[in-house]
Amino acid sequence: MAVLRVCTLNLHGKQENDDIRFSRIADLLSELEPDLCALQEVVVDGERTTAGGRLAELLEERTGEEYYPYFVETHLFYEKYPEGVAVLSRHPFRSTWAADLNDIPIPPLLPRKAAIVEVDVEGNSLIFASVHLDHHENPLVRKFQAEKLLEALDKLSPKDAAVLLAGDFNDTEDSPPVVGLLQERGFVDAYRVINDDPGFTFPAEGPKMRIDYVFVKDLEVLSVKRILMDKGLSDHFGGVYLEFEVKR
């Protein structure tokens, strides 16, 4: 089976230099040619397309490949611009879903949803979710949200599908509420399969924690690295890039 490539990046909402930084992000991503990309803090600017849609267009210009965007709105950025999570894909969507992560015992600080897509890759069903868990100081909020996400995946995903969860989990790798819960359900922290360095992704200035992940299930991880670490692209110290094969 062909090698597939995925990535995740927090776009840091709307900034004054969006045209410049999105162009630079597209330049760097086009060199990697990801099959699927999870985006967080994706904003709709007035009547313009979403930031995810803009990136899809920029990638198409640079690669000649069509990219399909899927955006799920979660809340308003600074109470003005619709914000949410998104997926970009080189493969047409077989199905798309928005998983609500808000009906939990402790309310999140901001409404949260996950953007989930199903694509067909050489006859194999692949489920890919863009995730942005809450930044609440109580880690139980993220534990409850992870449980809601896994419940949605159990209901929506074909039983034979490989699954990837990518995004900003707002929690460190030694935090049982999220990482432990996912690993107990058969997911693997892809970065740790290959790397033993700290892999810090936040904050952009003086990074001291890893909160951006790609978790995989029923996949053969080939390589993982951090990407897009140029200053000014995000308030995160880059994103995560993964190459893999489906174990089929």
Side-chain angles (χ1 to χ4, degrees):
M1 179 179 177
V3 173
L4 296 179
R5 301 171 293 273
V6 303
C7 65
T8 180
L9 179 68
N10 186 308
L11 291 180
H12 195 202
K14 176 177 169 56
Q15 307 299 320
E16 292 183 356
N17 65 337
D18 276 356
D19 288 341
I20 295 174
R21 70 188 186 102
F22 284 173
S23 180
R24 180 57 177 158
I25 290 171
D27 286 342
L28 295 171
L29 283 181
S30 66
E31 297 174 1
L32 300 170
E33 294 186 330
D35 290 277
L36 292 153
C37 189
L39 303 172
Q40 303 84 49
E41 294 192 25
V42 179
V43 169
V44 180
D45 184 359
E47 295 182 357
R48 299 178 68 175
T49 185
T50 69
R54 291 168 66 187
L55 272 180
E57 294 171 357
L58 292 171
L59 284 171
E60 289 172 7
E61 292 174 2
R62 287 157 173 75
T63 66
E65 297 275 354
E66 183 172 5
Y67 277 85
Y68 303 89
Y70 174 57
F71 171 73
V72 174
E73 181 180 339
T74 58
H75 56 272
L76 294 180
F77 180 73
Y78 287 129
E79 300 183 356
K80 182 177 181 180
Y81 302 100
E83 178 186 324
V85 290
V87 172
L88 303 185
S89 174
R90 291 173 62 189
H91 306 273
F93 299 129
R94 179 185 288 177
S95 302
T96 59
W97 307 280
D100 193 312
L101 309 180
N102 299 300
D103 186 16
I104 57 178
I106 305 174
L109 296 177
L110 291 173
R112 303 288 184 178
K113 296 179 181 178
I116 305 173
V117 305
E118 179 187 6
V119 298
D120 181 276
V121 181
E122 297 186 0
N124 294 284
S125 178
L126 185 68
I127 301 295
F128 185 74
S130 178
V131 182
H132 191 186
L133 299 187
D134 203 66
H135 56 296
H136 201 292
E137 63 179 12
N138 188 338
L140 287 176
V141 172
R142 289 177 290 282
K143 176 180 181 294
F144 294 141
Q145 289 184 323
E147 289 173 345
K148 293 287 288 185
L149 175 61
L150 293 174
E151 288 174 7
L153 289 169
D154 285 343
K155 294 178 181 178
L156 300 172
S157 303
K159 292 184 178 180
D160 62 343
V163 183
L164 300 97
L165 311 178
D168 177 356
F169 285 74
N170 266 317
D171 228 328
T172 56
E173 64 181 295
D174 59 351
S175 176
V178 174
V179 180
L181 174 64
L182 292 172
Q183 290 177 344
E184 288 172 5
R185 293 288 299 272
F187 286 91
V188 175
D189 176 358
Y191 193 83
R192 280 288 167 254
V193 173
I194 303 294
N195 305 287
D196 57 9
D197 63 284
F200 295 150
T201 63
F202 188 82
E205 296 291 339
K208 56 186 178 182
M209 63 184 69
R210 187 166 70 100
I211 63 174
D212 300 272
Y213 303 87
V214 180
F215 291 102
V216 303
K217 192 172 186 179
D218 292 327
L219 299 173
E220 183 70 32
V221 178
L222 302 178
S223 67
V224 190
K225 63 182 179 180
R226 286 175 295 163
I227 58 170
L228 302 170
M229 293 180 285
D230 289 20
K231 186 176 181 180
L233 296 183
S234 172
D235 61 336
H236 289 231
F237 187 54
V240 182
Y241 172 81
L242 164 70
E243 294 183 342
F244 67 93
E245 289 182 337
V246 177
K247 295 179 181 178
R248 296 284 182 246

